[in-house]
Amino acid sequence: MEQERYMRGWAKLKEIDGEQGERVIASLAGIAPDFGRLLIEFGFGDIYSRPGLDLRSREIATIAALCALGTAAPQLRVHLHGALNVGCTREEIVEVMMQMALYAGFPAALNGLFAAKEVFAERGA
């Protein structure tokens, strides 16, 4: 059962985050490989694999939450790549960040917009 969760999670991680996600997991190998395994099994094997939302909706919710936190810029950048990978447009991402100004404040929205600008530039905007 655990191996099935891991394989399902690994496949979902690669589908959403591609190389970005693989680098995150690899970076944990030297300090907390069990955390990487839990992230794959629970986060992607259990949560992201649920049928209730499509991947676009999940990534929109994720980037909104990470933007609102204001303390998760590296994770936000990974999930901005993921949002683009699953079909979100740059315009939709900008709108999500603007929406966060209303609920998380202008500083959080600005930080989210600057993270999006970096990701867009990496992807050749």
Side-chain angles (χ1 to χ4, degrees):
M1 179 70 169
E2 292 300 310
Q3 184 66 17
E4 180 183 317
R5 281 176 76 212
Y6 184 87
M7 297 306 293
R8 182 176 60 243
W10 188 251
K12 193 61 68 176
L13 173 79
K14 288 175 67 170
E15 179 182 356
I16 299 165
D17 293 324
E19 290 180 18
Q20 297 284 328
E22 290 176 21
R23 281 196 293 270
V24 170
I25 300 304
S27 71
L28 292 168
I31 187 169
D34 287 343
F35 189 82
R37 180 185 50 78
L38 289 171
L39 181 60
I40 292 168
E41 290 175 354
F42 177 67
F44 291 90
D46 293 343
I47 301 300
Y48 267 95
S49 296
R50 292 177 56 81
L53 292 172
D54 63 14
L55 292 179
R56 284 183 80 260
S57 299
R58 288 187 188 281
E59 282 302 302
I60 287 171
T62 301
I63 63 174
L66 291 170
C67 177
L69 281 173
T71 58
Q75 293 80 15
L76 176 57
R77 283 190 291 278
V78 168
H79 283 281
L80 286 166
H81 281 286
L84 292 167
N85 291 344
V86 298
C88 292
T89 68
R90 293 169 185 199
E91 293 78 15
E92 289 171 324
I93 289 170
V94 168
E95 287 299 321
V96 168
M97 299 306 159
M98 291 178 66
Q99 182 77 16
M100 292 304 96
L102 181 60
Y103 292 97
F106 277 82
L110 282 168
N111 290 339
L113 286 166
F114 291 138
K117 182 179 178 181
E118 290 176 22
V119 168
F120 297 164
E122 286 175 28
R123 293 177 74 117

